[in-house]
């Protein structure tokens, strides 16, 4: 890979793709860190936010995937960074937040979207599958939220807020189901994390929103072809709309779709 050159002339061995982009009042464009940004919902969110004028940092385990999304954003006239990040690693998460601030001056929005889906009956579920699911879906969300909140608390408010965290959840966070012990436990835990974050951070001007995607969405985590799915772009549009609410107003939870009756 050819090293990228930043606007300050420094050479970096990462991906920094720039096109024509919108600036926010004060000279700094709004910035968003999107986890699981290499495919599905995360990729759709990153593209939608970029179209709304955000500088976007796409992170995921597979660098080539987030590089592709960053390149698409650049081709469309936006500005993006791509980072290989395993959200189960606090150090990698902290570096991603630091890179966001170094590139865009601040962090306005975290979209906690990264996740894995491992399913098996309780008695057959392996330790590795349990730990991997909890590690990515809950521990990873915690590490990202903690790093983002620490950064946001150090920032001056802009448009009535220091920042916002949107946690992408699932219908499995509202009700368990057979073979879903690990996934449901991780998503129930994410709802509890979000509720605690709101109580701790709202008065300090950090907004926290749960986006519960109970509808089947086109993504790598859902591959049952016989089910009619919602395009991931719809979720991207909703996230962008949630982020556009300025001042003290915040949607604390938005449920997308209905859980099946059985």
């Amino acid at each position: 890979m050819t090293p990228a050159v930043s606007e300050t002339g420094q050479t970096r061995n990462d991906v920094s793709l720039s096109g024509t982009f919108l600036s926010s009042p004060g000279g700094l464009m709004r910035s968003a860190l999107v986890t699981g940004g290499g495919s599905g919902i995360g990729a759709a969110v990153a593209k939608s936010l970029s179209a709304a004028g955000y500088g976007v940092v796409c992170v995921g385990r597979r660098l080539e995937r987030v590089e592709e999304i960053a390149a698409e954003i650049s081709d469309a006239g936006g500005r993006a960074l791509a980072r290989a990040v395993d959200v189960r690693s606090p150090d990698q998460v902290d570096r991603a937040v630091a890179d966001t601030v170094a590139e865009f001056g601040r962090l306005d929005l975290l979209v906690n979207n990264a996740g894995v889906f491992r399913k098996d009956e309780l008695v057959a579920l392996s330790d590795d599958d349990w730990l991997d699911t909890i590690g990515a879906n809950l521990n990873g969300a915690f590490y990202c939220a903690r790093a983002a909140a620490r950064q946001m608390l150090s920032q001056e408010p802009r448009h009535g807020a220091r920042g916002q965290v949107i946690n992408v959840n699932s219908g499995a966070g509202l009700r368990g189901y057979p073979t879903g012990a690990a996934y449901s436990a991780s998503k129930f835990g994410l709802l509890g994390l979000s509720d605690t974050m709101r109580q701790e951070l709202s008065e300090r001007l950090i907004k926290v929103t749960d986006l519960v995607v109970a509808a089947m969405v086109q993504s790598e985590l859902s591959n049952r072809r016989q089910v009619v799915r919602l395009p991931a772009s719809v979720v991207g549009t909703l996230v962008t709309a949630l982020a556009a609410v300025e001042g003290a107003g915040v949607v604390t939870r938005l449920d997308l779709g209905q859980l099946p009756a059985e």
Side-chain angles (χ1 to χ4, degrees), residues 14-15 57-64 66-67 81-87 89 92-93 95-96 99:
D14 57 49
V15 176
V57 180
C58 301
V59 303
R61 293 190 197 182
R62 291 172 289 182
L63 180 59
E64 69 278 4
V66 290
E67 284 179 344
L81 299 180
R83 292 290 186 273
V85 173
D86 185 339
V87 296
S89 166
Q92 292 185 33
V93 168
R95 284 196 295 272
D99 287 348

Side-chain angles (χ1 to χ4, degrees), residues 14 39 48 51 65 79 86 110-111 130 138 142 163 182 190 217 239:
D14 57 49
S39 64
S48 180
R65 297 295 295 272
R79 181 173 170 184
D86 185 339
L110 165 67
V111 181
W130 170 268
L138 184 55
F142 163 72
L190 183 57
V217 177
V239 168

Side-chain angles (χ1 to χ4, degrees), residues 134 137-139 141-142 167 169 172-174 181-197 210:
I134 298 297
N137 299 359
L138 184 55
N139 293 352
F142 163 72
N167 291 324
N169 210 309
L174 304 177
Y183 191 67
S184 283
S186 70
K187 293 303 185 178
F188 269 86
L190 183 57
L191 282 180
L193 176 63
S194 296
D195 193 37
T196 299
M197 289 170 60
D210 285 299

Side-chain angles (χ1 to χ4, degrees), residues 13 21 65 100 143-144 149 195 234 258:
N13 291 315
F21 55 91
R65 297 295 295 272
T100 303
Y143 296 142
C144 291
D195 193 37
V234 173
Q258 299 293 323

Side-chain angles (χ1 to χ4, degrees), residues 4-66:
V5 180
S6 72
E7 294 176 354
T8 60
Q10 295 176 320
T11 301
R12 299 192 305 256
N13 291 315
D14 57 49
V15 176
S16 179
L17 300 165
S18 300
T20 302
F21 55 91
L22 302 176
S23 295
S24 294
L28 293 176
M29 67 189 309
R30 293 189 184 188
S31 65
L33 175 62
V34 181
T35 70
S39 64
I41 290 174
V45 167
K47 293 175 185 178
S48 180
L49 288 170
S50 175
Y54 278 78
V56 180
V57 180
C58 301
V59 303
R61 293 190 197 182
R62 291 172 289 182
L63 180 59
E64 69 278 4
R65 297 295 295 272
V66 290

